[in-house]
Amino acid sequence: MYTQKVINIFKNPKNAGGLHGANATSKVTDNSCGDIIKLYLKINEDGIIEEAKFKTFGCTASIASSSMLCDMVKGLSIEEAEEITGNDILDELGGLPAEKVHCCELADEALHLAIDDYFKRLEKEQRKLEEN
Ligand code: FES
């Protein structure tokens, strides 16, 4: 059974959609169930996550986990966001059925890959500047 919180988020996933100007993105797939999460972050020059959006093709729990994750990271520094775990998302949702706990892990994986993407982009920009 899903908590009322999970059902409410699923019915109104306010963070759903793409994000113009995103400078950190990721796409993860859970090979066992096929759910896909795409995450978009906008990180400012001070390293603060200003905006977060998602596009998820999957179950109720993966959509709720993605939306909750976006709520959780907004306003955090990259370092603070890196500390977030799948369990933190699970706690914020008020729990999930045991067979759906991996949905939180998938959202967490999306977050960490998006942060990796941000640093890769920074490195690339740095290299370009050095070449010019
Ligand atoms: Fe696999 Fe939701 S059932 S991520």
Side-chain angles (χ1 to χ4, degrees):
M1 277 289 280
Y2 289 118
T3 61
Q4 195 56 47
K5 196 170 184 180
V6 170
I7 293 165
N8 290 345
I9 297 171
F10 172 69
K11 283 185 179 166
N12 180 26
K14 59 181 171 158
N15 300 308
L19 181 58
H20 266 292
N23 54 0
T25 62
S26 66
K27 179 185 174 188
V28 290
T29 306
D30 186 302
N31 290 328
S32 62
C33 62
D35 285 10
I36 298 169
I37 297 176
K38 292 182 187 174
L39 187 65
Y40 308 90
L41 305 177
K42 199 187 275 184
I43 301 173
N44 71 17
E45 287 178 356
D46 298 323
I48 304 294
I49 301 172
E50 283 186 345
E51 187 57 275
K53 293 271 190 184
F54 74 94
K55 286 184 186 172
T56 291
F57 308 94
C59 69
T60 301
S62 58
I63 290 168
S65 298
S66 306
S67 194
M68 179 56 81
L69 172 72
C70 291
D71 273 345
M72 289 168 73
V73 298
K74 277 185 242 179
L76 295 187
S77 67
I78 296 170
E79 292 75 19
E80 289 168 330
E82 278 180 323
E83 298 291 312
I84 290 176
T85 66
N87 253 335
D88 296 330
I89 302 168
L90 186 65
D91 285 347
E92 288 295 326
L93 289 173
L96 284 171
E99 69 277 14
K100 293 291 181 180
V101 169
H102 74 275
C103 309
C104 290
E105 299 298 338
L106 190 64
D108 186 55
E109 194 185 330
L111 170 64
H112 289 91
L113 282 179
I115 292 172
D116 287 351
D117 178 55
Y118 174 72
F119 285 121
K120 276 185 201 145
R121 290 182 196 216
L122 273 188
E123 265 179 40
K124 212 171 166 184
E125 272 177 35
Q126 192 63 39
R127 249 183 278 130
K128 260 192 200 162
L129 283 176
E130 284 167 8
E131 281 167 16
N132 293 328

